[in-house]
mmCIF file of all heavy atoms in Angstrom:
data_model
loop_
_atom_site.group_PDB
_atom_site.id
_atom_site.type_symbol
_atom_site.label_atom_id
_atom_site.label_comp_id
_atom_site.label_asym_id
_atom_site.label_seq_id
_atom_site.Cartn_x
_atom_site.Cartn_y
_atom_site.Cartn_z
ATOM 1 N N LEU A 53 -6.235 7.985 -7.499
ATOM 2 C CA LEU A 53 -7.023 7.452 -6.391
ATOM 3 C C LEU A 53 -6.106 6.848 -5.332
ATOM 4 O O LEU A 53 -6.306 7.058 -4.145
ATOM 5 C CB LEU A 53 -8.012 6.439 -6.898
ATOM 6 C CG LEU A 53 -8.887 5.716 -5.841
ATOM 7 C CD1 LEU A 53 -9.701 6.723 -5.044
ATOM 8 C CD2 LEU A 53 -9.777 4.668 -6.453
ATOM 9 N N MET A 54 -5.082 6.140 -5.743
ATOM 10 C CA MET A 54 -4.163 5.496 -4.816
ATOM 11 C C MET A 54 -3.450 6.595 -3.952
ATOM 12 O O MET A 54 -3.285 6.414 -2.764
ATOM 13 C CB MET A 54 -3.134 4.620 -5.480
ATOM 14 C CG MET A 54 -2.397 3.762 -4.480
ATOM 15 S SD MET A 54 -0.755 3.175 -4.994
ATOM 16 C CE MET A 54 0.261 4.514 -4.433
ATOM 17 N N ASN A 55 -3.069 7.681 -4.598
ATOM 18 C CA ASN A 55 -2.389 8.760 -3.876
ATOM 19 C C ASN A 55 -3.326 9.365 -2.805
ATOM 20 O O ASN A 55 -2.839 9.731 -1.749
ATOM 21 C CB ASN A 55 -1.900 9.821 -4.857
ATOM 22 C CG ASN A 55 -0.699 9.365 -5.672
ATOM 23 O OD1 ASN A 55 -0.009 8.423 -5.258
ATOM 24 N ND2 ASN A 55 -0.440 10.010 -6.771
ATOM 25 N N ILE A 56 -4.594 9.438 -3.110
ATOM 26 C CA ILE A 56 -5.551 9.983 -2.126
ATOM 27 C C ILE A 56 -5.792 8.957 -1.025
ATOM 28 O O ILE A 56 -5.773 9.271 0.180
ATOM 29 C CB ILE A 56 -6.882 10.418 -2.788
ATOM 30 C CG1 ILE A 56 -6.561 11.628 -3.695
ATOM 31 C CG2 ILE A 56 -7.927 10.759 -1.765
ATOM 32 C CD1 ILE A 56 -7.693 12.031 -4.621
ATOM 33 N N LEU A 57 -5.994 7.704 -1.435
ATOM 34 C CA LEU A 57 -6.147 6.600 -0.454
ATOM 35 C C LEU A 57 -4.958 6.551 0.522
ATOM 36 O O LEU A 57 -5.125 6.375 1.718
ATOM 37 C CB LEU A 57 -6.247 5.247 -1.153
ATOM 38 C CG LEU A 57 -7.630 4.745 -1.568
ATOM 39 C CD1 LEU A 57 -7.480 3.504 -2.452
ATOM 40 C CD2 LEU A 57 -8.499 4.451 -0.380
ATOM 41 N N GLY A 58 -3.759 6.692 -0.047
ATOM 42 C CA GLY A 58 -2.539 6.609 0.723
ATOM 43 C C GLY A 58 -2.125 7.873 1.394
ATOM 44 O O GLY A 58 -0.993 7.933 1.955
ATOM 45 N N LEU A 59 -2.959 8.917 1.376
ATOM 46 C CA LEU A 59 -2.671 10.224 2.033
ATOM 47 C C LEU A 59 -1.441 10.901 1.467
ATOM 48 O O LEU A 59 -0.780 11.666 2.164
ATOM 49 C CB LEU A 59 -2.528 10.025 3.556
ATOM 50 C CG LEU A 59 -3.664 9.252 4.260
ATOM 51 C CD1 LEU A 59 -3.434 9.188 5.751
ATOM 52 C CD2 LEU A 59 -5.028 9.882 3.982
ATOM 53 N N LEU A 60 -1.108 10.568 0.167
ATOM 54 C CA LEU A 60 -0.008 11.266 -0.458
ATOM 55 C C LEU A 60 -0.531 12.526 -1.165
ATOM 56 O O LEU A 60 0.242 13.383 -1.572
ATOM 57 C CB LEU A 60 0.661 10.318 -1.512
ATOM 58 C CG LEU A 60 1.331 9.088 -0.907
ATOM 59 C CD1 LEU A 60 1.639 8.087 -2.007
ATOM 60 C CD2 LEU A 60 2.582 9.430 -0.141
ATOM 61 N N ASP A 61 -1.810 12.616 -1.332
ATOM 62 C CA ASP A 61 -2.479 13.761 -1.944
ATOM 63 C C ASP A 61 -3.860 13.907 -1.309
ATOM 64 O O ASP A 61 -4.371 12.978 -0.689
ATOM 65 C CB ASP A 61 -2.577 13.526 -3.472
ATOM 66 C CG ASP A 61 -2.813 14.815 -4.253
ATOM 67 O OD1 ASP A 61 -2.862 15.871 -3.647
ATOM 68 O OD2 ASP A 61 -2.952 14.748 -5.483
ATOM 69 N N ARG A 62 -4.432 15.092 -1.515
ATOM 70 C CA ARG A 62 -5.779 15.331 -0.944
ATOM 71 C C ARG A 62 -6.783 15.459 -2.093
ATOM 72 O O ARG A 62 -6.445 15.936 -3.182
ATOM 73 C CB ARG A 62 -5.769 16.647 -0.146
ATOM 74 C CG ARG A 62 -4.946 16.578 1.143
ATOM 75 C CD ARG A 62 -5.082 17.890 1.850
ATOM 76 N NE ARG A 62 -4.190 18.034 3.007
ATOM 77 C CZ ARG A 62 -4.557 17.767 4.288
ATOM 78 N NH1 ARG A 62 -5.803 17.370 4.526
ATOM 79 N NH2 ARG A 62 -3.714 17.943 5.278
ATOM 80 N N ALA A 63 -8.019 15.037 -1.808
ATOM 81 C CA ALA A 63 -9.104 15.229 -2.776
ATOM 82 C C ALA A 63 -9.461 16.704 -2.892
ATOM 83 O O ALA A 63 -9.254 17.459 -1.987
ATOM 84 C CB ALA A 63 -10.332 14.408 -2.308
ATOM 85 N N THR A 64 -9.959 17.056 -4.075
ATOM 86 C CA THR A 64 -10.433 18.436 -4.287
ATOM 87 C C THR A 64 -11.748 18.634 -3.460
ATOM 88 O O THR A 64 -11.935 19.670 -2.868
ATOM 89 C CB THR A 64 -10.685 18.679 -5.773
ATOM 90 O OG1 THR A 64 -9.508 18.380 -6.516
ATOM 91 C CG2 THR A 64 -11.122 20.149 -6.024
ATOM 92 N N SER A 65 -12.601 17.615 -3.488
ATOM 93 C CA SER A 65 -13.830 17.650 -2.679
ATOM 94 C C SER A 65 -14.253 16.202 -2.393
ATOM 95 O O SER A 65 -13.756 15.267 -2.999
ATOM 96 C CB SER A 65 -14.938 18.424 -3.402
ATOM 97 O OG SER A 65 -15.282 17.768 -4.609
ATOM 98 N N GLY A 66 -15.176 16.108 -1.428
ATOM 99 C CA GLY A 66 -15.653 14.776 -0.993
ATOM 100 C C GLY A 66 -15.141 14.428 0.407
ATOM 101 O O GLY A 66 -14.380 15.205 1.004
ATOM 102 N N GLU A 67 -15.617 13.322 0.915
ATOM 103 C CA GLU A 67 -15.318 12.940 2.267
ATOM 104 C C GLU A 67 -14.487 11.629 2.244
ATOM 105 O O GLU A 67 -14.812 10.696 1.575
ATOM 106 C CB GLU A 67 -16.653 12.682 3.017
ATOM 107 C CG GLU A 67 -16.465 12.276 4.457
ATOM 108 C CD GLU A 67 -17.815 12.009 5.151
ATOM 109 O OE1 GLU A 67 -18.461 10.999 4.772
ATOM 110 O OE2 GLU A 67 -18.172 12.757 6.034
ATOM 111 N N TYR A 68 -13.412 11.672 3.073
ATOM 112 C CA TYR A 68 -12.565 10.461 3.224
ATOM 113 C C TYR A 68 -12.367 10.262 4.698
ATOM 114 O O TYR A 68 -11.727 11.039 5.396
ATOM 115 C CB TYR A 68 -11.235 10.688 2.518
ATOM 116 C CG TYR A 68 -10.254 9.530 2.626
ATOM 117 C CD1 TYR A 68 -10.650 8.268 3.070
ATOM 118 C CD2 TYR A 68 -8.903 9.646 2.265
ATOM 119 C CE1 TYR A 68 -9.751 7.213 3.195
ATOM 120 C CE2 TYR A 68 -8.012 8.613 2.350
ATOM 121 C CZ TYR A 68 -8.442 7.381 2.837
ATOM 122 O OH TYR A 68 -7.550 6.325 2.906
ATOM 123 N N ILE A 69 -12.933 9.180 5.199
ATOM 124 C CA ILE A 69 -12.793 8.747 6.626
ATOM 125 C C ILE A 69 -11.904 7.527 6.633
ATOM 126 O O ILE A 69 -12.235 6.512 6.031
ATOM 127 C CB ILE A 69 -14.162 8.423 7.258
ATOM 128 C CG1 ILE A 69 -15.166 9.517 7.058
ATOM 129 C CG2 ILE A 69 -13.958 8.066 8.746
ATOM 130 C CD1 ILE A 69 -14.936 10.785 7.828
#
Side-chain angles (χ1 to χ4, degrees):
L53 177 59
M54 194 203 87
N55 287 340
I56 293 170
L57 270 171
L59 310 181
L60 297 167
D61 198 2
R62 293 180 186 265
T64 305
S65 63
E67 182 182 66
Y68 179 14
I69 308 291

